[in-house]
Amino acid sequence: MAETQHITLRELQRRVKAALEGQFALPVWVNAEISEIKVNYSGHCYLELVEKGGDNGVPTAQARAVVWRSHYPRISGYFEAETGQPLAAGIKILAKVLVSYHELYGFSLQITDIDPSYTLGDMERQRQQTIAQLQQDGVWEMNREVPMPAVVQRIAIVSSVNAAGYQDFCKELDKSPYRFRLTLFDAFMQGEAAEESIVEALCAVADRAEDFDAVVLIRGGGSRSDLNCFNAYRLCAHVAQFPLPILTGIGHDKDTSVADMVAHTALKTPTAVAGWLVERMAGIEGWLDSAALQLHDTTAAAMHASEVRLERLSGELRRLSGELLTRQSLQLEHLAGVLPEAARDFLARQTTRLENAAELIAGRSPERILRLGFAVVRSGGRAVTSVRAVAAGEPIEVEVADGKISATVNAEKIWQKKS
């Protein structure tokens, strides 16, 4: 190859640099996501910017960027004042950049300004997308429709054990006269791992749902970026569809998160959640006192009514008993008067009956029958009732009214009555 047909690497780099500087002589506004950020000891801020594409979020473009220390305090201070959050990884920004190219270090961007309204708009856009998706899925009202128990004492807490909001919540409950049973499900409440950690904690609570009356999701205050996980669809979908009522105290006074919107009851701070629980218990206590008073009054009224009724029944019983005794006494007096005569009549009737029976018996006695001319024939000591009971030549005994006759059966004279 001829020497005139190739160039050196340095010459190539020089031409690329000249082309870029000629094409991008003026600053341009570029939107990208911060994937890495680091402030050097010298005061310079170095960033890695990416553009992600597709559902899996794989970067489709990447570039190094720098904010020189002469610009960084102004840019970062203004951004945090407007958005309520510092520049951090995971935030989408709209940056005013100068395109630069160095023969050794390659392509990079020099950031001279950042528009915080773009970041706020992107966060709000994601928030609105989450709201729209939850409403489209039909789960927007689900947790608010879960009945809240009248007495809420067994509470599952999703928070960080080191969070100031959790400590404030516990202190507020400790000051109350009521007993609460608290179970903490520790989770990260900010940072990239917050969403996944909170979802895992909620799943752990759901596995023991029968052990709790309600769930409390709390953390202290923070920047909008710190609280942005509470606008994430996956976390909010778990809150919306949770089988127990969820109370939120996320600590954001300026805006309401989507998690607050789909939760059963949303309160501003962890202390406010504790106050709500104490107030609910006080209401139940008042209701019980009122019910006890009402029960006492109802019981007293019922007792008084029963006493009046018992007294009325006692008087009526005494009156009816007196009337019954009077009637019975009169009846006894009447019976006492008629009893002797009835006894005499009864005895007379019985005497007549006995006399008639005696006459009947006397009229049917064997002696009377024998005197009428009848006789009793016996053979072998037994009365003879049939001619077949005796044989010729057999001795018999004939009893008549005044004695007995011994005789012998004459066979020639035995005859039988024809039927």
Side-chain angles (χ1 to χ4, degrees):
M1 182 179 293
E3 186 174 339
T4 57
Q5 292 179 330
H6 69 270
I7 60 175
T8 65
L9 176 61
R10 182 177 180 182
E11 176 63 18
L12 175 63
Q13 299 281 46
R14 186 189 66 76
R15 291 183 185 183
V16 171
K17 180 178 181 180
L20 287 174
E21 290 177 353
Q23 181 69 31
F24 299 101
L26 298 176
V28 294
W29 287 95
V30 176
N31 66 307
E33 180 180 325
I34 301 174
S35 64
E36 294 182 18
I37 183 170
K38 179 180 180 182
V39 179
N40 193 285
Y41 67 91
S42 61
H44 304 312
C45 178
Y46 296 95
L47 306 94
E48 195 74 33
L49 302 180
V50 298
E51 179 179 344
K52 297 178 180 179
D55 296 335
N56 55 6
V58 175
T60 58
Q62 184 171 339
R64 290 182 292 109
V66 62
V67 183
W68 301 122
R69 64 183 177 185
S70 57
H71 299 297
Y72 181 68
R74 174 185 59 83
I75 293 174
S76 63
Y78 179 64
F79 182 87
E80 185 167 355
E82 290 296 312
T83 64
Q85 60 181 324
L87 289 168
I91 296 176
K92 288 186 177 181
I93 61 172
L94 180 62
K96 187 177 183 181
V97 302
L98 288 168
V99 179
S100 64
Y101 191 87
H102 192 274
E103 291 84 347
L104 292 178
Y105 303 113
F107 179 83
S108 66
L109 303 174
Q110 295 179 24
I111 298 176
T112 60
D113 200 1
I114 295 177
D115 184 2
S117 62
Y118 175 84
T119 302
L120 291 173
D122 181 71
M123 293 171 60
E124 180 61 25
R125 179 183 59 80
Q126 294 181 12
R127 183 171 177 271
Q128 292 301 325
Q129 286 179 346
T130 298
I131 293 173
Q133 186 63 49
L134 291 171
Q135 291 175 342
Q136 181 179 344
D137 294 342
V139 300
W140 183 256
E141 301 285 344
M142 285 183 64
N143 195 251
R144 284 191 290 273
E145 293 173 351
V146 176
M148 180 73 72
V151 178
V152 182
Q153 286 184 298
R154 305 175 303 160
I155 302 170
I157 305 172
V158 177
S159 185
S160 172
V161 66
N162 298 317
Y166 170 66
Q167 304 299 330
D168 294 341
F169 174 81
C170 293
K171 289 178 182 178
E172 187 70 17
L173 290 185
D174 288 341
K175 292 189 298 183
S176 75
Y178 309 109
R179 180 180 178 272
F180 295 92
R181 193 181 77 184
L182 308 179
T183 304
L184 175 65
F185 291 81
D186 196 13
F188 296 114
M189 303 305 289
Q190 65 182 37
E192 295 183 6
E195 180 183 355
E196 182 65 29
S197 181
I198 294 172
V199 168
E200 289 179 357
L202 288 174
C203 291
V205 177
D207 291 338
R208 298 173 52 191
E210 67 279 359
D211 295 337
F212 305 106
D213 301 318
V215 180
V216 170
L217 178 59
I218 54 175
R219 60 151 293 158
S223 65
R224 291 187 63 179
S225 63
D226 290 340
L227 302 175
N228 201 39
C229 66
F230 295 100
N231 294 321
Y233 171 79
R234 182 163 177 258
L235 171 58
C236 294
H238 274 76
V239 172
Q241 301 176 76
F242 205 75
L244 294 173
I246 293 182
L247 293 84
T248 58
I250 298 175
H252 203 313
D253 293 330
K254 295 182 180 179
D255 297 308
T256 301
S257 69
V258 180
D260 288 321
M261 295 179 180
V262 297
H264 185 283
T265 303
L267 298 135
K268 287 295 183 181
T269 63
T271 302
V273 175
W276 186 91
L277 291 170
V278 173
E279 184 178 351
R280 186 176 182 85
M281 290 294 289
I284 294 299
E285 182 181 22
W287 179 84
L288 288 174
D289 290 342
S290 176
L293 181 61
Q294 184 178 0
L295 178 62
H296 176 271
D297 293 343
T298 303
T299 304
M303 290 292 293
H304 177 70
S306 298
E307 289 175 357
V308 171
R309 183 169 179 270
L310 182 61
E311 184 175 353
R312 178 178 61 80
L313 292 176
S314 298
E316 188 173 351
L317 178 62
R318 286 192 296 270
R319 179 181 62 80
L320 293 176
S321 300
E323 293 177 357
L324 179 62
L325 289 174
T326 300
R327 288 196 301 270
Q328 295 297 323
S329 297
L330 292 175
Q331 186 175 3
L332 287 174
E333 291 178 1
H334 172 71
L335 293 176
V338 301
L339 182 61
E341 184 178 353
R344 286 192 296 271
D345 291 343
F346 177 78
L347 292 175
R349 289 195 301 273
Q350 294 300 320
T351 302
T352 301
R353 183 181 177 187
L354 289 174
E355 290 174 351
N356 293 336
E359 290 179 0
L360 180 62
I361 293 171
R364 295 182 177 180
S365 65
E367 292 81 359
R368 180 180 177 83
I369 293 173
L370 293 177
R371 284 197 297 270
L372 293 176
F374 293 95
V376 178
V377 180
R378 295 184 176 84
S379 175
R382 293 191 299 269
V384 176
T385 59
S386 173
V387 294
R388 297 188 183 92
V390 294
E394 183 178 347
I396 58 174
E397 184 180 80
V398 181
E399 183 178 359
V400 292
D402 58 351
K404 297 178 181 180
I405 302 171
S406 297
T408 302
V409 176
N410 187 349
E412 294 180 354
K413 293 182 179 182
I414 293 176
W415 59 276
Q416 183 177 2
K417 182 180 180 182
K418 294 183 180 179
S419 55

